[in-house]
Amino acid sequence: MLDGSKNLINNTCRQDLGGFAMSNYKIETKCVQGGYTPKNGEPREIPIIQSTTFKYDTSEDMGKLFDLEASGYFYTRLQNPTNDHVAAKICDMEGGTAAMLTSSGQAASFYSVFNIASCGDHVVCSSAIYGGTYNLFAVTMKRMGINFTFVSPDCSDEELEAAFRPETKAVFGETIANPALTVLDIERFANAAHAHGVPLIIDNTFATPVNCRPFEWGADIVTHSTTKYMDGHGAAVGGCIVDSGKFDWTKYPDKFPGLCTPDDSYHGVTYTERFGLEGAYITKATAQLMRDFGSIQAPQNAFLLNLGLESLHVRMKRHCENGLAVAEFLANDDRISWVTYPGLKGDKYYDLAQKYMPNGTCGVVSFGVKGGRAAAEKFMKGLKLAAIETHVADARSCCLHPANATHRQMNDDELAAAGISPDLIRFSCGIENKDDLIADIKQALDNI
C-alpha cells in the first residue's frame, strides 16, 4: 500500500526523479521509471525482498507499527517493499493517491467492493463485465449478503436511476468490458453514483492507464487484473487497486462507517481521521482486508509485473494497431456475421471510445462466425498461430470461445445480458506482425 500522505510505510506514490515529481512526466516515462528511484549505491532495478518477516530491535518499535503510528514493515502478508514500489508506479500512472497490489484481479475486484460494503448492502453494476467478476458478485458475494443490481451499460438515465437503493454503497463497471467490448460512459455513471453519494469503481484492465485514466472522468476507485496487459507476458497473476483520493467519505459517515468510525479490530483507528481522504480507503483495505484474507501478491510476481510495466506504453500501441487491422479484415469477410471492436469506425461504441480513449482502445476483437456455435468451435480448432487459452491481453495472440470457457457458468439469458452470444469468439491480438495474424485467421476460416 502506497499513498501520498502519512501511511503505514510513510512513502509517496509520486517518486522524485532529478528533483522533479514523477507525476510531472508523461505516461511513457512513468511506465519506465515510476515508483522507484534508487539512491546513491542502491540497486538500479527494484529489489526483490523475498522475506516473510522484518526484524526490529524492541517490542515497542514493532508495537508502533501495529498501532499505525510508525513507518515500516512487519509481515509480508500485509505489505512488502517490492510490492509497494510497483503499486506506487501504477498509482502514479493512474493519477491516484494510494494503491495496493493483490494476488489476482479477482482479489482486487472483491476487496474494492468489500472494503465499503457488507451484509445487507447493495451495489449497482454494469451487466457487461468479465464472467468471473459476474460470478463473484452475483453468486459468492450474494451469499455474503451483498446484493447487486446489474444494469446494461447502455441503459437509459431512468433505468440507471431506478437501480439505486438506500443501501447502495458503490457503482461498478469496466472501461472496456471483457469480452463484450462495450465501452462504459464513465462520466455518466460517475455522475449517477455521486448523485447518490457513492463512489464509482472502474476495472481499467483492458484500456490500461496508457489509453484511459478513469479518474479524469469522475471515477473514484480503479482496479486492474495486472495479469493482462500490465504483465503482458503470461508470467505472473496479480491485481491492483488505486484510489483517486477524491471521494469524500466523511460527507456520508452513516453510509461508510468502516472508514468514518473507529475500527475496533485495529486499536480504534478512524481511517479518515488518521490518513485523510488520500489514504483512508487503501489503508483500511491493507490493515483490515489484507490482514484477514491475505491475498497478497508475491514479491517475485511484483518484480515480473514491473518488467512488464516498463514496456506497457510500447506494447499497447502495437496491440491497438493489430486489433484494428484484424477488426477491419473481419468486417470485410462475408464469412463473419458480426464484429465488435470499439476502435473500428461504425462500431456501436466508436464515439465513446474516441471520447475516453482517443489514442487507442485495446488489442481484443470479438466477432461471430456464420454458422453459430458449431462454426465457432471449428474455427478455433483451425488456428495455428493464435493459441486457445483462458487468457487475454498478452504479447502472444490467443483466442477463446467464452460461452464454452470463462462464461460457461451463465445461462443463455445471463449470457445475453453480459453481451455474450454462443458464437462469440474473443481474439486477443498480441504484438506479432499483423499480416501473420490475419493470415492465421483467414486459413482457419478457410477450413470451416
Side-chain angles (χ1 to χ4, degrees), residues 24 63 91 171 245 257 265 316 349-350 354-355 388 393 407 418 424 439:
N24 292 334
C91 183
V171 178
S265 76
M316 286 307 294
Y349 297 98
Y350 179 79
Q354 289 300 300
K355 173 181 177 178
I388 299 175
H407 291 65
L424 186 151

Side-chain angles (χ1 to χ4, degrees), residues 430-448:
I431 57 175
E432 304 95 342
N433 182 281
K434 61 185 177 184
D435 294 334
D436 290 335
L437 296 182
I438 291 172
D440 190 36
I441 293 171
K442 183 178 183 304
Q443 65 84 28
L445 289 171
D446 291 342
N447 288 330
I448 294 178

Side-chain angles (χ1 to χ4, degrees), residues 27-289:
I27 189 70
E28 295 87 351
T29 304
K30 293 178 181 182
C31 286
V32 178
Q33 297 209 32
Y36 174 70
T37 304
K39 297 176 182 177
N40 189 43
E42 291 185 340
R44 187 64 190 88
E45 183 58 88
I46 293 176
I48 303 172
I49 308 301
Q50 193 66 45
S51 179
T52 60
T53 53
F54 301 83
K55 180 259 184 187
Y56 287 88
D57 292 335
T58 69
S59 295
E60 289 77 12
D61 289 337
M62 184 168 285
K64 292 177 181 178
L65 299 175
F66 277 90
D67 287 341
L68 304 181
E69 293 178 351
S71 304
Y73 299 88
F74 49 86
Y75 199 51
T76 285
R77 189 180 77 225
L78 276 83
Q79 293 176 268
N80 179 280
T82 306
N83 291 20
D84 283 347
H85 286 305
V86 181
K89 174 178 285 191
I90 298 173
C91 183
D92 201 27
M93 289 166 62
E94 285 286 7
T97 61
M100 65 186 294
L101 297 187
T102 61
S103 58
S104 67
Q106 281 291 86
S109 295
F110 172 65
Y111 281 15
S112 70
V113 173
F114 197 63
N115 200 35
I116 51 176
S118 57
C119 183
D121 288 335
H122 171 258
V123 176
V124 176
C125 184
S126 169
S127 60
I129 57 174
Y130 167 59
T133 307
Y134 178 89
N135 197 69
L136 169 67
F137 291 166
V139 179
T140 302
M141 294 187 74
K142 184 178 181 180
R143 292 204 300 264
M144 301 170 71
I146 302 174
N147 293 305
F148 289 76
T149 294
F150 295 92
V151 297
S152 168
D154 305 324
C155 67
S156 66
D157 290 341
E158 292 74 19
E159 290 170 328
L160 181 56
E161 179 68 22
F164 287 88
R165 304 176 187 175
E167 64 271 22
T168 300
K169 294 297 178 70
V171 178
F172 188 100
E174 296 180 4
T175 310
I176 304 174
N178 174 15
L181 300 184
T182 58
V183 176
L184 191 75
D185 191 340
I186 300 172
E187 196 169 30
R188 184 167 77 96
F189 274 73
N191 289 338
H194 297 160
H196 288 270
V198 300
L200 173 62
I201 304 172
I202 290 290
D203 183 333
N204 197 33
T205 296
F206 267 20
T208 81
V210 171
N211 287 338
C212 183
R213 287 157 53 100
F215 293 155
E216 296 175 357
W217 299 99
D220 302 289
I221 309 293
V222 161
T223 66
H224 287 278
S225 171
T226 63
T227 316
K228 309 304 190 298
Y229 285 124
M230 284 187 165
D231 171 270
H233 300 84
V237 174
C240 185
I241 308 173
V242 185
D243 182 13
S244 70
K246 296 178 180 178
F247 190 84
D248 191 352
W249 312 102
T250 63
K251 288 178 64 176
Y252 315 97
D254 295 335
K255 191 182 290 285
F256 303 106
L259 288 162
C260 301
T261 60
D263 179 2
D264 293 335
S265 76
Y266 222 110
H267 317 294
V269 64
T270 299
Y271 294 102
T272 50
E273 291 180 1
R274 179 75 66 85
F275 303 101
L277 299 182
E278 298 84 1
Y281 177 89
I282 293 294
T283 303
K284 178 180 180 293
T286 303
Q288 192 181 87
L289 301 188

Side-chain angles (χ1 to χ4, degrees), residues 278-311:
E278 298 84 1
Y281 177 89
I282 293 294
T283 303
K284 178 180 180 293
T286 303
Q288 192 181 87
L289 301 188
M290 192 62 81
R291 174 198 65 193
D292 293 344
F293 291 100
S295 302
I296 193 71
Q297 187 168 146
Q300 177 71 52
N301 282 12
F303 176 85
L304 294 172
L305 167 58
N306 183 63
L307 294 181
L309 289 171
E310 290 180 353
S311 64

Side-chain angles (χ1 to χ4, degrees), residues 28 210 312-322:
E28 295 87 351
V210 171
L312 180 63
H313 59 293
V314 179
R315 289 185 287 106
M316 286 307 294
K317 290 181 180 178
R318 176 56 71 88
H319 284 299
C320 294
E321 176 189 340
N322 286 354

